Amino acid sequence: MSALTGVLYAALVAYLGGWYVGRWSGNFALLLFVLTTVSMLYWLAERFHFAPARRAAAQNLLDNDAKRRETLAAQGIARVDGDIEPARQQILQQPWWLDWTAGLFPVILVVFLFRSFLLEPFKIPSGSMVPTLLVGDLILVNKFHYGIRLPVLNKKIIPINDVKRGDVMVFRYPEDPSTDFIKRVVGIPGDEISYVNQKLYVNGQLQPTQFVDNFYDDSGSPRVYRPRFTEKLGDKPHQILVQPDAVRSFHPDRADGPFPFQENCRYTVEAVTCKVPAGHYFMMGDNRDNSRDSRYWGFVPDENIVGKAFLVWMNFGNLKRIGTFFD
């Protein structure tokens, strides 16, 4: 078993190393599920086989020592040298390969359940959600807000809340489900979304904006000041960035070809209009001219939802961001 455990740890190190250097794309949810399952099997084996076997061996040692002492006492030898307690403790000691598998099972199980059903941390890697979220923000995502989902399979089994316009949502990127994206929900099933000349229309209604100030956007290159506006899609207003002189050409650019329900969308040079199909959502970044989103790669299906983002819990480059709630 020690050799098998060594092989499993070597495979884990190789997997993590290849993931870290970019040789392949990792799936942390699947990895955590496998670790939980394997450590549980070791824990069960320890509880019902290895630990009882060690206790039985230790008891056998005590019984044999007692018999030996009885035999010697019958021969008139009252004093017997030798303390077997160190040997008994050594027999009872858990070997390293169980300590590093079965011993870790409770910790891994708690992490797995917490991450799968309650909260999951994410790091913001790009500036598509500026000014709401900055590059380097470490955020928390509520995994149960929209419903309870089976781990790994991500299948919803208990619905809780409906997705609302204005929600900041983490989801599996439709082009590459192994990658998690974060955007704002601007369209729910049945909505007609139009983005025309940098103006957002929902079901034909222009979403009003109000100028706030010029925001220094250092998330990309070049670093520039962009006009910051407030916009209201849901119950609460949020901030967006719009660059009036930005030149954008709207066209589908899905790498794997036409995206599902692409026939629901109409494209021109300066506009895109899409009818959101059932069970899907239209997502956009708050940094409107620096975001590749549903305007280009299509709709997000419900089964891709990870959860609702709500809190910045750390930003090592800007400690003032800690504790920032957002909608």
Side-chain angles (χ1 to χ4, degrees), residues 130-132 195 198-199 209-217 223-231 238-246 285-290:
V130 173
T132 304
Y195 194 73
Q198 300 180 313
K199 299 292 185 181
T209 58
Q210 183 175 354
F211 176 78
V212 177
D213 57 16
N214 288 312
F215 179 87
Y216 183 63
D217 181 10
R223 299 177 179 182
V224 296
Y225 281 94
R226 301 182 190 275
R228 173 163 48 178
F229 298 85
T230 57
E231 178 183 74
H238 58 271
Q239 296 183 342
I240 63 172
L241 297 183
V242 177
Q243 189 68 32
D245 58 354
D286 288 346
N287 197 346
R288 294 289 165 80
D289 298 301
N290 190 27

Side-chain angles (χ1 to χ4, degrees), residues 244-263:
D245 58 354
V247 178
R248 300 297 296 269
S249 177
F250 294 106
H251 56 84
D253 62 357
R254 183 81 171 251
D256 54 355
F259 57 80
F261 301 101
Q262 184 171 311
E263 65 276 9

Side-chain angles (χ1 to χ4, degrees), residues 62-325:
L62 291 175
D63 293 342
N64 288 337
D65 181 67
K67 290 180 181 179
R68 181 174 68 92
R69 292 176 183 275
E70 290 177 3
T71 301
L72 293 175
Q75 297 174 2
I77 303 174
R79 182 174 180 178
V80 181
D81 294 333
D83 182 7
I84 65 168
E85 183 58 25
R88 190 180 77 88
Q89 291 297 330
Q90 187 173 0
I91 291 174
L92 290 173
Q93 184 177 1
Q94 193 177 62
W96 71 268
W97 51 272
L98 280 171
D99 189 34
W100 283 85
T101 51
L104 294 176
F105 169 65
V107 176
I108 296 175
L109 178 63
V110 169
V111 172
F112 174 71
L113 294 176
F114 188 85
R115 183 186 182 277
S116 299
F117 299 106
L118 298 177
L119 302 174
E120 183 175 354
F122 287 90
K123 182 178 181 179
I124 301 301
S126 71
S128 69
M129 284 297 292
V130 173
T132 304
L133 297 171
L134 306 183
V135 176
D137 280 348
L138 301 177
I139 66 171
L140 285 180
V141 173
N142 186 329
K143 298 294 291 287
F144 62 87
H145 180 81
Y146 298 122
I148 306 299
R149 295 175 181 266
L150 293 176
V152 182
L153 299 177
N154 207 42
K155 181 177 177 58
K156 186 188 295 183
I157 54 176
I158 303 176
I160 297 179
N161 294 305
D162 294 330
V163 177
K164 296 181 179 179
R165 299 187 202 95
D167 286 356
V168 178
M169 191 168 75
V170 172
F171 54 92
R172 295 177 178 178
Y173 181 34
E175 270 189 309
D176 179 11
S178 67
T179 302
D180 292 317
F181 266 33
I182 182 168
K183 304 289 182 185
R184 190 178 297 276
V185 180
V186 299
I188 59 177
D191 282 347
E192 183 178 78
I193 303 299
S194 298
Y195 194 73
V196 183
N197 293 323
Q198 300 180 313
K199 299 292 185 181
L200 176 64
Y201 296 80
V202 177
N203 298 323
Q205 299 295 316
L206 173 65
Q207 303 304 293
T209 58
Q210 183 175 354
F211 176 78
V212 177
D213 57 16
N214 288 312
F215 179 87
Y216 183 63
D217 181 10
D218 60 356
S219 63
S221 181
R223 299 177 179 182
V224 296
Y225 281 94
R226 301 182 190 275
R228 173 163 48 178
F229 298 85
T230 57
E231 178 183 74
K232 188 175 181 181
L233 284 172
D235 298 330
K236 298 179 181 179
H238 58 271
Q239 296 183 342
I240 63 172
L241 297 183
V242 177
Q243 189 68 32
D245 58 354
V247 178
R248 300 297 296 269
S249 177
F250 294 106
H251 56 84
D253 62 357
R254 183 81 171 251
D256 54 355
F259 57 80
F261 301 101
Q262 184 171 311
E263 65 276 9
N264 286 25
C265 297
R266 305 187 304 274
Y267 287 90
T268 64
V269 174
E270 70 282 352
V272 55
T273 298
C274 292
K275 182 77 170 181
V276 185
H280 291 72
Y281 304 94
F282 196 92
M283 314 296 297
M284 289 177 61
D286 288 346
N287 197 346
R288 294 289 165 80
D289 298 301
N290 190 27
S291 173
R292 185 171 176 272
D293 45 42
S294 288
R295 294 173 290 180
Y296 302 93
W297 42 253
F299 309 102
V300 173
D302 184 79
E303 59 265 25
N304 283 37
I305 293 177
V306 173
K308 184 177 186 291
F310 69 98
L311 172 69
V312 177
W313 66 272
M314 177 57 71
N315 185 316
F316 293 103
N318 184 354
L319 297 182
K320 293 181 179 180
R321 297 284 297 165
I322 299 175
T324 301
F325 287 87

